[in-house]
Amino acid sequence: MTTTVADTEEGTVSPYALSHLDSLESEAVHIFREVAGEFERPVILFSGGKDSIVMLHLALKAFAPAAVPFSLLHVDTGHNFPEVLEYRDRVVAEHGLRLHVASVQEYIDRGALRERPDGTRNPLQTLPLTEKIQAERFDAVFGGGRRDEEKARAKERVFSLRDEFSQWDPRRQRPELWNLYNGRHAPGEHVRVFPLSNWTELDVWQYIAREGIELPEIYFAHEREVFRRAGMWLTAGEWGGPKDGETVEKRLVRYRTVGDMSCTGAVDSDAVTLDDVIAEIAASRLTERGATRADDKMSEAAMEDRKREGYF
Amino acid sequence: MSTITSEELSATTLLRFATAGSVDDGKSTLVGRLLHDSKSILSDQLEAVERASASRGQEAPDLALLTDGLRAEREQGITIDVAYRYFATPRRRFILADTPGHVQYTRNMVTGASTAELTVILVDARNGVVEQTRRHAAIAALLRVPHVVLAVNKMDLVDYREPVFAAIAEEFTAYASELGVPEVTAIPISALAGDNVVDPSANMDWYGGPTFLEHLETVPVSHDLAHCHARLPVQYVIRPQTAEHPDYRGYAGQIAAGTFRVGEPVTVLPSGRTSTISGIDLLGEPVDVAWTTQSVTVLLADDVDVSRGDLIVPTKDAPATTQDVEATVCHVADQPLTVGHRVLIKHGTRTVKAIVKDIPSRLTLDDLSLHPHPGQLVANDIGRVKIRTAQPLPVDSYADSRRTGSFILIDPADGTTLTAGMVGESFASPEPVKDALDDDGWDF
């Protein structure tokens, strides 16, 4: 599936120019293969969201016709969309992968974590994630984070060193030169690896379209019972909504990101095909997180603080 | 704003470029202007900047806030690292490595330039070429960035006069060509007023060239590969060992330079064994030919021993292997690099032990003077080093191949990346060697 490129300059068309998607794909595959060559126990964080789906697709391509030499890890908040869990399980079975689950609900049930007053569980994912990494001795953890998502991420490395508490110290990050990644770490430390560092939301969607990758249905327009909170359309459900004064209505919506039900908002949309979605995003005046994530609006430094603690 | 269709977008190329310049030159304003005028700043990002500016008591939204990511930086009002920015036009996708231009951040500029195909050097039209400009030019030359743009900013403050621009462009171009920079494009702009950044300037009708963004959109991104040495560092051996693929042995890697063809005789280094390419898998698609920077899997006709760290090269164009590497380096770590230092060297996909045998000289970027035998290099120093490696490495000259002529040194104790190295001569032309006047340059 290679796209040919017509360079804009007449007469400077090079038969060797790669399209931007081919460049990004090649770079991501290189990153997956570096980790396979240099680490003992890598794992891919897999939520069933579009970025982790693209990561898995790239990993499958990187090692074909052999199997992907990594297992998957899902941090389950207990408030996941059923369509997404169903998709996750189907994909795992289809490719014969091993899935690890770290469950926020389980931590709450045994009193190791406390539910927040606002009901959001995204910040609660850090502890189950970091303890699972320690328990399984994962030394490389692939995340779908992209540098275009948020200001603190713009400074993130492709190979991001974490100490034994999974903490991110921006001053301890190593300069990344050429494509020479340095994955050395002490026992107990691990490296978070971001193969989609240089992708934008639009790149991800275009790649999904080009490769014909199947996604959970909630990424496309559908009728859903939602209510308004903090300027977002949230899905009604047992996780904590609607509350007094919030009214449920049926709307035609879709999700731009897929996360915890309590803080992932839907957007009004009639985009039912990938092309519709791409056109909508290309014309959108809001970033993906700005439109749909309550948790990033908390403070100017919200993401930076959570990253330091070991968040994705 | 013209809406970009998915067809248009899927057929664009990608340009990685870097900026160098200080806050005073208006770099943040230029980057902000570029993102703003190319409609890449989305309304929530702009609102966040407006909110943050207002809470600091600033009247106008401070576009620099768009590019300052971390709290430490915001509190100190500085930029401490490379930040990556992304934007697109209907013609091209861009990745910008935005690096601070202060003296002590040489390592960040080197980092940003290492993956850049184009670098933008900003000067203030009122000040012209200053020490820092020469330093930025030297880094672009050392890193062999193929395209250099001189953005002469703040033209509004010199009444948009052509002679001012022409004199600066001439002085810079002469200096850059002395360093062997292959190509300089000078563009007169005002980032604040928007002249020639995205839209052509009505105030400078004497300028007939492209706007800054037009140049970024049209500069060639891939080079003539006919003269490149083909190189494939092996990352990983793919052996499914399944009923369907009982004998498949594929050597996976990203082509670092040049082109490979099925049927071509190849040599595996450092062992020197030879074979022929019997197949190339381009991520699941068999192809007859593949080129840089495609990630591929190569199959060989013979059962030769190949593993991670090896380099596959055309038999007719193999590099020599050596245990003595001489290079220009930029030291990027806080702890110094000293003669006798035991390190690890990562070249391509191979990491071996090495010793720093000698540091013949340190280079001062301001005036290109050489300081013989400094004994050590500290953070942000540029110098020459001689390294003895525990095993032979197939190194190219950095001038010939940026990916197989580069390496990093790693501290074996804690894994820190110490040094970025470029094999061979520093500059494309002979270096002017001047007497070292004093040593105060930029050691701190």
Side-chain angles (χ1 to χ4, degrees):
Chain A
M1 284 294 294
T2 309
T3 330
T4 50
V5 177
D7 221 325
T8 48
E9 279 284 77
E10 279 178 48
T12 64
V13 179
S14 161
Y16 299 118
L18 301 188
S19 75
H20 76 287
L21 288 181
D22 286 333
S23 297
L24 293 169
E25 176 184 63
S26 175
E27 176 184 72
V29 165
H30 173 259
I31 292 162
F32 275 113
R33 289 167 168 179
E34 273 307 275
V35 171
E38 294 209 331
F39 290 81
E40 298 292 319
R41 289 179 61 77
V43 69
I44 301 176
L45 288 171
F46 187 80
S47 64
K50 67 179 188 331
D51 297 321
S52 61
I53 290 169
V54 165
M55 267 206 296
L56 179 59
H57 181 86
L58 289 160
L60 288 162
K61 281 185 112 171
F63 301 101
V68 173
F70 316 127
S71 53
L72 304 185
L73 167 58
H74 181 213
V75 183
D76 185 346
T77 60
H79 291 160
N80 283 297
F81 294 91
E83 300 91 333
V84 176
L85 291 181
E86 180 271 329
Y87 179 99
R88 176 197 77 183
D89 295 337
R90 197 155 39 83
V91 166
V92 166
E94 194 179 321
H95 298 294
L97 297 155
R98 182 171 172 207
L99 175 73
H100 303 266
V101 178
S103 158
V104 172
Q105 189 64 53
E106 186 191 302
Y107 274 67
I108 291 172
D109 292 346
R110 60 180 163 87
L113 279 176
R114 197 178 309 165
E115 195 84 75
R116 295 162 47 106
D118 62 4
T120 184
R121 287 186 171 183
N122 254 23
L124 302 182
Q125 295 178 93
T126 304
L127 185 67
L129 167 69
T130 55
E131 291 196 343
K132 179 64 86 175
I133 290 170
Q134 290 304 313
E136 293 287 342
R137 302 190 321 281
F138 293 129
D139 54 1
V141 179
F142 290 103
R146 307 188 317 265
R147 289 182 184 139
D148 80 321
E149 285 182 277
E150 197 277 335
K151 278 199 297 189
R153 290 209 199 264
K155 309 241 153 168
E156 183 57 281
R157 302 292 193 270
V158 175
F159 277 42
S160 174
L161 189 67
R162 303 300 166 102
D163 66 12
E164 66 267 45
F165 303 103
S166 285
Q167 297 174 113
W168 176 67
D169 177 357
R171 289 175 190 277
R172 246 194 94 199
Q173 300 305 311
R174 298 160 176 164
E176 287 185 336
L177 296 127
W178 300 286
N179 62 340
L180 295 167
Y181 302 109
N182 174 1
R184 290 185 74 88
H185 57 282
E189 294 185 333
H190 71 279
V191 176
R192 298 276 172 93
V193 183
F194 301 104
L196 306 182
S197 282
N198 288 325
W199 298 50
T200 64
E201 183 185 13
L202 201 50
D203 297 330
V204 169
W205 281 105
Q206 288 173 346
Y207 187 72
I208 288 166
R210 185 184 90 170
E211 300 285 301
I213 301 170
E214 189 211 345
L215 291 180
E217 297 126 36
I218 68 170
Y219 279 111
F220 302 97
H222 57 287
E223 287 229 314
R224 179 176 284 268
E225 294 205 328
V226 291
F227 64 93
R228 196 108 184 123
R229 182 183 293 173
M232 297 185 304
W233 292 114
L234 297 179
T235 290
E238 288 178 13
W239 60 266
K243 288 190 174 135
D244 296 342
E246 293 173 332
T247 50
V248 171
E249 53 184 289
K250 207 170 219 173
R251 295 187 74 91
L252 191 63
V253 296
R254 67 173 200 89
Y255 284 88
R256 278 176 74 176
T257 67
V258 167
D260 187 78
M261 275 188 180
S262 60
C263 65
T264 307
V267 293
D268 288 318
S269 167
D270 55 7
V272 289
T273 66
L274 280 171
D275 275 349
D276 295 347
V277 169
I278 289 170
E280 188 183 276
I281 291 166
S284 169
R285 306 300 309 133
L286 280 178
T287 61
E288 174 177 307
R289 287 182 170 266
T292 63
R293 286 294 179 90
D295 54 332
D296 288 342
K297 293 186 179 176
M298 286 191 250
S299 83
E300 218 183 319
M303 178 63 87
E304 183 181 347
D305 291 342
R306 277 188 297 155
K307 281 177 68 67
R308 284 174 184 274
E309 291 161 15
Y311 189 72
F312 309 126
Chain B
M1 177 193 175
S2 60
T3 308
I4 304 170
T5 67
S6 58
E7 290 82 41
E8 275 178 326
L9 273 167
S10 62
T12 55
T13 47
L14 180 69
L15 178 75
R16 292 169 198 253
F17 73 108
T19 55
S22 71
V23 177
D24 313 333
D25 301 326
K27 182 169 66 76
S28 297
T29 315
L30 174 65
V31 172
R33 166 73 55 191
L34 201 59
L35 298 174
H36 186 271
D37 288 10
S38 68
K39 310 284 188 285
S40 302
I41 298 177
L42 299 172
S43 53
D44 54 315
Q45 290 173 301
L46 203 54
E47 275 165 30
V49 165
E50 282 163 358
R51 267 201 313 274
S53 305
S55 73
R56 289 191 187 85
Q58 291 163 295
E59 281 176 22
D62 182 354
L63 286 180
L65 292 173
L66 278 169
T67 54
D68 288 347
L70 303 175
R71 178 184 293 167
E73 298 171 66
R74 288 193 299 273
E75 285 169 356
Q76 296 163 41
I78 53 156
T79 318
I80 53 174
D81 214 326
V82 186
Y84 292 89
R85 313 255 136 230
Y86 301 84
F87 65 101
T89 68
R91 301 165 93 174
R92 194 166 266 179
R93 257 279 275 122
F94 299 95
I95 300 177
L96 161 61
D98 188 8
T99 59
H102 308 293
V103 172
Q104 61 269 43
Y105 299 125
T106 299
R107 60 182 166 193
N108 290 335
M109 268 186 279
V110 168
T111 303
S114 74
T115 52
E117 288 155 289
L118 178 147
T119 192
V120 181
I121 297 175
L122 262 160
V123 300
D124 184 327
R126 295 167 304 173
N127 307 333
V129 176
V130 295
E131 221 167 61
Q132 184 172 256
T133 318
R134 284 192 281 270
R135 202 179 303 129
H136 294 166
I139 289 173
L142 282 171
L143 273 289
R144 313 267 171 170
V145 181
H147 308 281
V148 172
V149 172
L150 176 75
V152 181
N153 192 21
K154 307 194 186 181
M155 286 299 293
D156 51 320
L157 302 182
V158 294
D159 301 325
Y160 297 109
R161 278 174 298 151
E162 180 177 20
V164 177
F165 167 74
I168 296 170
E170 192 180 345
E171 184 186 350
F172 180 86
T173 306
Y175 186 77
S177 59
E178 245 179 78
L179 296 173
V181 170
E183 176 201 78
V184 174
T185 305
I187 304 174
I189 64 167
S190 166
L192 199 63
D195 298 271
N196 287 337
V197 178
V198 173
D199 301 313
S201 166
N203 299 308
M204 291 182 273
D205 50 14
W206 46 262
Y207 171 73
T211 66
F212 181 63
L213 184 63
E214 275 171 5
H215 181 67
L216 293 180
E217 285 180 315
T218 52
V219 75
V221 287
S222 57
H223 308 288
D224 178 16
L225 301 177
H227 309 294
C228 288
H229 311 289
R231 303 288 184 254
L232 176 66
V234 176
Q235 291 185 273
Y236 193 77
V237 181
I238 295 178
R239 297 193 61 194
Q241 294 173 298
T242 54
E244 201 185 344
H245 301 281
D247 302 319
Y248 186 102
R249 267 181 81 95
Y251 306 111
Q254 187 175 28
I255 298 176
T259 59
F260 285 94
R261 289 173 196 281
V262 172
E264 189 172 15
V266 289
T267 299
V268 180
L269 296 172
S271 72
R273 292 195 178 83
T274 56
S275 184
T276 307
I277 296 179
S278 59
I280 301 174
D281 266 355
L282 181 62
L283 302 181
E285 186 186 0
V287 291
D288 289 331
V289 58
W291 56 88
T292 180
T293 50
Q294 292 178 326
S295 280
V296 295
T297 306
V298 163
L299 307 165
L300 298 183
D302 307 276
D303 199 4
V304 290
D305 180 23
V306 182
S307 55
R308 173 175 171 83
D310 290 349
L311 186 72
I312 296 176
V313 299
T315 302
K316 65 181 188 336
D317 181 20
T321 60
T322 178
Q323 287 182 257
D324 293 291
V325 177
E326 191 166 345
T328 302
V329 302
C330 174
H331 191 62
V332 298
D334 293 332
Q335 63 261 46
L337 187 78
T338 52
V339 175
H341 209 128
R342 287 177 184 272
V343 294
L344 296 166
I345 181 169
K346 182 170 187 184
H347 169 259
T349 53
R350 192 176 191 82
T351 304
V352 302
K353 290 179 182 168
I355 295 181
V356 178
K357 278 287 184 200
D358 190 17
I359 305 178
S361 60
R362 181 166 56 79
L363 176 74
T364 298
L365 285 180
D366 303 340
D367 59 359
L368 303 183
S369 59
L370 291 172
H371 303 259
H373 302 292
Q376 64 171 32
L377 295 175
V378 301
N380 298 300
D381 274 356
I382 302 235
R384 300 283 297 166
V385 297
K386 290 181 177 171
I387 296 159
R388 174 77 180 169
T389 63
Q391 283 154 39
L393 293 178
V395 294
D396 284 297
S397 143
Y398 185 74
D400 291 340
S401 169
R402 287 173 88 189
R403 283 201 174 179
T404 51
S406 56
F407 61 82
I408 55 175
L409 299 183
I410 298 171
D411 187 320
D414 63 6
T416 305
T417 299
L418 297 169
T419 309
M422 293 155 280
V423 178
E425 294 302 322
S426 303
F427 296 107
S429 62
E431 293 165 38
V433 180
K434 299 177 186 176
D435 289 335
L437 297 170
D438 50 33
D439 238 7
D440 63 1
W442 36 294
D443 290 351
F444 37 77

